[in-house]
Amino acid sequence: MMISYNIPEEKVFLSGHNACPGCGEALALRYILNTLGPETVGVVPPSCIAIISGPQPYSSMRIPVYQTTLEASAASAAGIKRALDVQGKTQVNVVALAGDGGTYDIGFQALSAAAERNEDIIYICLDNEGYMNTGAQKSSATPWLAYTTSTPGGKPTGKKNVAEIMAAHEIPYVATATVGFPDDLTAKIRKAKEMKGMRFIVVLTPCLAGWGVPDSQAVRVSRLAVDTGIFPLYEVENGRKYTLNWEPRGIPVDTYLRTQSRYKHLTADQIEEIQQEVNRNMTYLREKQ
Amino acid sequence: MEVLKKEIPTIWTTGWTDIMNTGTWRSAMPIYQKRKSPCQDICPVNGEIPTWLQNLKSENLEEAWLEIVAKNPFPAVTGRVCHHPCESKCNRKEYDGEVGINSLEQFLGDLAIEKGWSLPKPSQEMEERVAVIGGGPAGLSCAYQLRKAGYQVTIFEEQPELGGLLRFAIPEYRLPKAVLAKELERLLELGFNVELNRKIITKEDFEQLRREYSAVFVAVGAYKAKSLPQLENTAMKVWFCLDFLAQVKKGEKPDIGRKVVVIGGGNAAIDSARTALRLGAKVKVLSLEDRADLPAINTEVVDGEREGIIYYHGAMVTGVEPIGTDSYMLKCVKVVFKPSDTDRFPKTVVLKDTEFELQADSVILAIGQEPDTTPFPSELVSAVGLLGSGLMENQGLFVGGDSSSLNRYVSAAIADGKNQASKIIEYMKGNKGASEGNQNEQVNQTVDSEPVKFSEVNTFYFPIMPKVNREIRSESNSLSGFAEIKAGLSQAEAIQESSRCFSCGHCISCNNCFYFCPDQAVVKNSDLCGEYHILEQYCKGCGLCVEECPRGAVTLKEEAR
């Protein structure tokens, strides 16, 4: 049997946007917005998403979008949701669409606080593992040893595990997703849409320019991230119930790393170390199930 | 000082990005292209294999069968005896094993017999009459295509029954008579004049036919045995393979003794050897060719070995000596022999000090056959004793099948008949001065390009799934008679196996190109189910749709601006 997709979409995200050709993040936005539907309010901090949703005064998102500050996505979203509730518009989804810089780093305190209060919002982090919009500087989402313009010798520290941090807040729903698995991604959006309280989804979105990947490869690279176990697809409900959504096919990490020029300087020993780390992470994750 | 009045943009959205022309960024544009699959590319009859496999997968069974019989009226036969080069070129072979195309053809062929499906009737009736000389696979295939186009066809067959080698040579265990009979019966329902027991013996006979018919197709096969000088002047029983096979097919039991040596490396040799095994003999096969160069179908060679044939590849007989009254010793030697497509008599180099001996009660000779060219004009006979294709086409005289080719496979003969039928139709239309030309072949032509390569298949979408094989009856059973060896697939097995097809180069509307476009520039045509088109205004030319097409049906074309 063949793997194929049948994804219901309501066109909220529009053509003619300013994303680079083949952009993984634009693809993710298509799935997310077209699944959430028109009864949605978006909150976008400075990020590639802000570029894609513009340029002012045009919008690629046929919903109200509030461009907030880099620190405040979760707080803004929470405020809008509460205001809508007061107006009796309880059915409207409020979704924060932030990059990894606005989530892992600069917007983190507002995010953690909103999670602690269990605000009734969906927070989606489109993680392209760096400040790609400003010229590919490292963020705390950049993986160990990856080249960025601010880590020319490779990043000396590892990637922050934001899904686990958010799960530790024991919020109703935490999930990881990526564009190479659109059925899994949209199923998670649909599931989050039906739930109440704080919902957090981190979506791996390959950045072609920042990672050094050809225009046609975003989906392939994203799939390899999952099938190597580097970015496993899973969900956590109430901080307790873990579900692995896709069993990685056990492809060596080397296959994934070789698709990207940000890893081209790696030695065989370093690749082996990454492989060991991935194996350990997969073991921990399986034990949590 | 005058203050410049600057218009400040509104903080509110005043429009949507879908007015933007991001297509101007593009340097290449994806195009949908029906491309050749490697199976279709090598298929002698150019069968639309990916198309009928998809029909089979979706359980549109009769449609699948109709797709096959558009090019080949005998799927139940070829599903058993075709040398299926399609499978050896199948892109899935490199992944988890080729798709069992041959067994699926058999499944549909058998199902059609069971359900009583009919071949498509001629859509019009034409006046022209065509004579087809020879009722074997090539003649019947040509007659079928001509009849389908509405022409009046008379088939001349020297035997009391139609079928040629299918009836008189291919053993029952590979092709049961009942299967052939059913497919012939169905073919004849289209309406032919059939003259059985009618051999064209003299040149006058033949000229008479040419005068009576608008065109003549000669497919008399190759029945004249070649002999081996080393075996002349001996009292040893030497059988010509086609005589031997025909006798057994008639139900006779030729006295071949207990030890039989078959000489030859083609399908007739293996058929003879496996038939001899079933008559209770111990069988050895001696071939000039090396194992890798044997013209016989590989699975037949392997199955024969499993049944107990002992092979001597790269060897020849140099002489024969009697032992006692009924048995003989064949003197043999190892040789190096390279078959060649261009040279009919390639060199055989004898290897020194490699002599050996084989004991035999009789020998079956399967070293090739030639056509009997006596009744035909000498201009039609080529230097190598075959009827030459294309020599007298402008005079309405066409040839095909084994009598004009050394590519002696059933499906090659069927293909030849089909191709010659197109030429005959073209010839007759030309005679009439009609300008419509020959369109029946061109309609479904795929774009002329290289077949899709394995590297163009996105295997992520195809989880590993082993091939479903036809069950083979155990040796002890199979050797005790002539019952068919391979059991056909069940419907569930056939549908499962057909679902393994990559459908190389043939869009099956899987929607991947649609879903993976970040610019939503791929749209489904609502009126034409299963087709897509690209919105040039938005497509940025990233190539994601090309990369994520599982089957190489979308390609990127550079655009010059």
Side-chain angles (χ1 to χ4, degrees):
Chain A
M1 276 300 139
M2 193 198 134
I3 294 173
S4 64
Y5 306 115
N6 185 13
I7 301 167
E9 285 188 301
E10 277 182 279
K11 203 163 178 182
V12 170
F13 189 54
L14 302 173
S15 301
H17 57 69
N18 264 344
C20 306
C23 173
E25 197 157 285
L27 194 54
L29 284 170
R30 166 188 177 163
Y31 299 137
I32 294 163
L33 292 169
N34 290 356
T35 304
L36 287 174
E39 274 201 312
T40 304
V41 174
V43 176
V44 176
S47 56
C48 282
I49 306 136
I51 305 294
I52 297 169
S53 68
Q56 180 73 0
Y58 296 101
S59 173
S60 64
M61 301 176 181
R62 208 180 267 275
I63 50 168
V65 176
Y66 174 49
Q67 290 206 359
T68 184
T69 61
L70 194 42
E71 299 87 344
S73 315
S76 303
I80 291 170
K81 179 65 189 173
R82 287 183 182 215
L84 286 166
D85 283 351
V86 169
Q87 290 175 19
K89 297 175 183 167
T90 51
Q91 78 287 3
V92 178
N93 311 298
V94 178
V95 59
L97 298 161
D100 51 282
T103 302
Y104 288 67
D105 299 345
I106 302 170
F108 189 72
Q109 95 41 55
L111 172 62
S112 178
E116 188 272 333
R117 297 191 305 272
N118 196 23
E119 295 287 352
D120 189 19
I121 58 168
I122 303 172
Y123 189 107
I124 295 173
C125 170
L126 298 175
D127 181 0
N128 57 19
E129 305 193 325
Y131 291 83
M132 298 313 181
N133 178 21
T134 51
Q137 292 83 17
K138 77 112 188 166
S139 75
S140 58
T142 306
W144 181 50
L145 296 176
Y147 164 90
T148 67
T149 52
S150 55
T151 55
K155 190 189 172 205
T157 52
K159 179 179 172 118
K160 200 193 265 184
N161 193 334
V162 79
E164 288 304 297
I165 296 169
M166 293 313 292
H169 287 73
E170 300 191 354
I171 55 176
Y173 191 59
V174 171
T176 66
T178 187
V179 287
F181 294 80
D183 48 347
D184 175 78
L185 169 54
T186 50
K188 284 169 177 168
I189 302 288
R190 274 193 299 276
K191 185 168 179 176
K193 189 180 163 185
E194 296 307 314
M195 295 170 89
K196 287 274 168 208
M198 182 76 181
R199 292 142 283 171
F200 176 85
I201 302 174
V202 55
V203 182
L204 186 72
T205 55
C207 173
L208 308 170
W211 295 13
V213 171
D215 285 1
S216 62
Q217 301 289 308
V219 171
R220 175 162 175 262
V221 168
S222 141
R223 250 187 336 244
L224 280 172
V226 174
D227 267 339
T228 53
I230 282 189
F231 189 86
L233 297 180
Y234 67 104
E235 53 192 359
V236 191
E237 284 161 77
N238 302 313
R240 293 276 188 273
K241 193 184 160 211
Y242 278 73
T243 312
L244 186 62
N245 306 108
W246 177 266
E247 187 56 49
R249 295 186 189 185
I251 297 171
V253 294
D254 186 34
T255 313
Y256 170 73
L257 302 172
R258 268 189 285 117
T259 58
Q260 304 158 49
S261 66
R262 63 174 173 158
Y263 289 121
K264 70 176 178 206
H265 58 284
L266 296 196
T267 65
D269 285 349
Q270 287 172 324
I271 291 168
E272 181 51 32
E273 233 175 299
I274 294 172
Q275 180 71 62
Q276 294 305 328
E277 181 63 20
V278 165
N279 296 350
R280 271 194 298 277
N281 288 345
M282 281 309 300
T283 310
Y284 291 147
L285 187 58
R286 286 205 177 87
E287 280 168 2
K288 284 180 182 166
Q289 275 199 94
Chain B
M1 208 171 78
E2 201 180 327
V3 178
L4 278 172
K5 265 198 173 175
K6 238 180 161 182
E7 206 176 308
I8 301 163
T10 167
I11 58 162
W12 302 104
T13 296
T14 59
W16 308 111
T17 54
D18 54 11
I19 58 156
M20 309 280 187
N21 217 344
T22 51
T24 54
W25 306 6
R26 183 177 67 229
S27 64
M29 173 87 178
I31 47 169
Y32 292 95
Q33 203 178 17
K34 187 176 183 185
R35 293 174 60 202
K36 267 191 209 155
S37 60
C39 53
Q40 178 171 13
D41 189 48
I42 191 112
C43 174
V45 302
N46 190 27
E48 270 286 340
I49 298 167
T51 307
W52 64 258
L53 284 179
Q54 284 307 313
N55 280 329
L56 173 52
K57 183 180 114 182
S58 345
E59 305 196 35
N60 296 325
L61 303 172
E62 190 167 1
E63 262 175 66
W65 178 78
L66 285 169
E67 191 70 52
I68 301 181
V69 297
K71 300 198 171 171
N72 163 20
F74 305 124
V77 169
T78 47
R80 290 172 164 84
V81 303
C82 181
H83 61 303
H84 49 76
C86 50
E87 291 189 23
S88 49
K89 291 281 177 183
C90 176
N91 275 333
R92 191 138 191 163
K93 190 177 182 178
E94 293 188 40
Y95 185 58
D96 59 359
E98 67 282 2
V99 176
I101 301 165
N102 192 239
S103 60
L104 296 173
E105 184 174 30
Q106 178 186 346
F107 167 76
L108 286 170
D110 288 352
L111 189 71
I113 292 173
E114 189 192 313
K115 303 267 184 193
W117 293 336
S118 308
L119 294 168
K121 298 274 177 297
S123 50
Q124 51 182 348
E125 287 295 339
M126 312 289 279
E127 282 176 7
E128 287 96 334
R129 299 162 71 224
V130 182
V132 170
I133 307 176
L140 292 171
S141 163
C142 179
Y144 166 62
Q145 296 293 346
L146 291 170
R147 186 70 200 112
K148 220 166 57 162
Y151 294 96
Q152 313 305 319
V153 183
T154 306
I155 304 167
F156 297 90
E157 169 58 55
E158 67 168 272
Q159 297 287 340
E161 286 174 295
L162 292 175
L165 289 184
L166 300 177
R167 185 181 294 279
F168 297 106
I170 296 182
E172 185 74 11
Y173 63 84
R174 279 179 69 201
L175 176 59
K177 284 187 212 76
V179 171
L180 176 65
K182 292 277 187 191
E183 293 213 308
L184 281 175
E185 192 185 311
R186 183 178 63 207
L187 176 67
L188 293 180
E189 281 166 11
L190 295 182
F192 298 90
N193 303 312
V194 182
E195 296 205 14
L196 298 172
N197 300 308
R198 173 74 192 277
K199 186 171 163 73
I200 310 300
I201 300 167
T202 62
K203 288 196 162 54
E204 287 68 44
D205 274 353
F206 183 68
E207 290 308 319
Q208 177 70 26
L209 285 186
R210 287 190 64 195
R211 281 191 295 276
E212 283 176 27
Y213 290 87
S214 307
V216 177
F217 179 59
V218 179
V220 292
Y223 285 90
K224 239 168 66 182
K226 283 195 227 166
S227 61
L228 206 58
Q230 299 93 306
L231 297 182
E232 286 164 11
N233 310 320
T234 158
M236 186 180 193
K237 267 180 288 188
V238 177
W239 300 81
F240 167 45
C241 61
L242 293 184
D243 294 338
F244 168 71
L245 289 169
Q247 280 196 24
V248 178
K249 265 221 126 166
K250 275 184 211 150
E252 292 167 18
K253 221 178 162 220
D255 179 18
I256 50 173
R258 298 215 8 90
K259 289 181 177 170
V260 175
V261 170
V262 177
I263 301 178
N267 287 319
I270 310 299
D271 283 349
S272 301
R274 295 181 73 186
T275 299
L277 278 178
R278 284 165 174 73
L279 295 177
K282 292 208 178 306
V283 183
K284 290 168 177 161
V285 173
L286 203 69
S287 66
L288 280 178
E289 298 90 350
D290 235 2
R291 177 73 179 83
D293 295 329
L294 282 186
I297 300 173
N298 185 47
T299 50
E300 289 295 313
V301 180
V302 173
D303 289 351
E305 190 155 40
R306 209 191 50 241
E307 289 177 348
I309 295 174
I310 298 168
Y311 291 103
Y312 296 86
H313 302 304
M316 67 177 226
V317 175
T318 54
V320 57
E321 275 175 16
I323 333 170
T325 49
D326 282 336
S327 203
Y328 296 82
M329 193 61 85
L330 295 176
K331 304 273 183 196
C332 308
V333 67
K334 290 288 224 180
V335 295
V336 173
F337 172 85
K338 276 281 162 200
S340 146
D341 286 339
T342 46
D343 188 358
R344 270 209 78 193
F345 305 101
K347 254 199 173 154
T348 308
V349 181
V350 173
L351 297 173
K352 269 188 188 161
D353 304 322
T354 57
E355 291 81 4
F356 64 101
E357 294 182 331
L358 296 177
Q359 200 187 331
D361 302 336
S362 68
V363 162
I364 301 173
L365 265 189
I367 54 170
Q369 307 91 31
E370 286 167 346
D372 178 5
T373 57
T374 340
F376 307 112
S378 52
E379 307 100 282
L380 200 60
V381 182
S382 73
V384 290
L386 296 174
L387 296 176
S389 181
L391 295 177
M392 294 178 75
E393 280 175 5
N394 52 1
Q395 297 166 53
L397 184 45
F398 299 80
V399 299
D402 283 1
S403 55
S404 69
S405 164
L406 291 176
N407 187 12
R408 288 180 177 165
Y409 294 108
V410 171
S411 43
I414 292 173
D416 212 4
K418 170 174 111 7
N419 298 339
Q420 296 298 327
S422 307
K423 287 191 182 175
I424 293 169
I425 293 170
E426 209 171 318
Y427 165 78
M428 289 188 297
K429 286 197 170 151
N431 268 0
K432 254 187 158 181
S435 59
E436 30 193 326
N438 170 35
Q439 288 171 346
N440 62 332
E441 259 301 287
Q442 255 77 55
V443 176
N444 267 336
Q445 277 287 338
T446 48
V447 177
D448 190 29
S449 62
E450 283 292 293
V452 174
K453 292 190 280 292
F454 178 60
S455 57
E456 293 173 84
V457 173
N458 193 330
T459 54
F460 169 80
Y461 297 103
F462 303 99
I464 296 281
M465 191 175 165
K467 180 181 178 186
V468 183
N469 283 304
R470 277 176 284 206
E471 211 175 296
I472 295 181
R473 299 197 307 144
S474 69
E475 283 91 89
S476 54
N477 280 335
S478 68
L479 280 182
S480 65
F482 287 90
E484 194 171 17
I485 296 175
K486 286 180 182 166
L489 301 181
S490 70
Q491 183 157 327
E493 287 172 323
I495 286 163
Q496 186 191 333
E497 182 62 12
S498 65
S499 76
R500 297 179 65 240
C501 176
F502 287 155
S503 191
C504 303
H506 288 54
C507 173
I508 63 161
S509 318
C510 73
N511 286 340
N512 268 12
C513 55
F514 172 77
Y515 282 125
F516 284 115
C517 181
D519 297 291
Q520 297 171 101
V522 177
V523 289
K524 295 188 227 185
N525 295 353
S526 50
D527 49 341
L528 277 167
C529 176
E531 301 281 339
Y532 306 89
H533 71 269
I534 310 275
L535 298 174
E536 296 196 19
Q537 185 191 352
Y538 302 128
C539 172
K540 294 171 186 165
C542 67
L544 250 176
C545 50
V546 177
E547 180 71 23
E548 293 312 313
C549 175
R551 45 190 54 82
V554 196
T555 43
L556 211 53
K557 198 172 164 244
E558 294 267 329
E559 280 183 326
R561 282 181 198 270

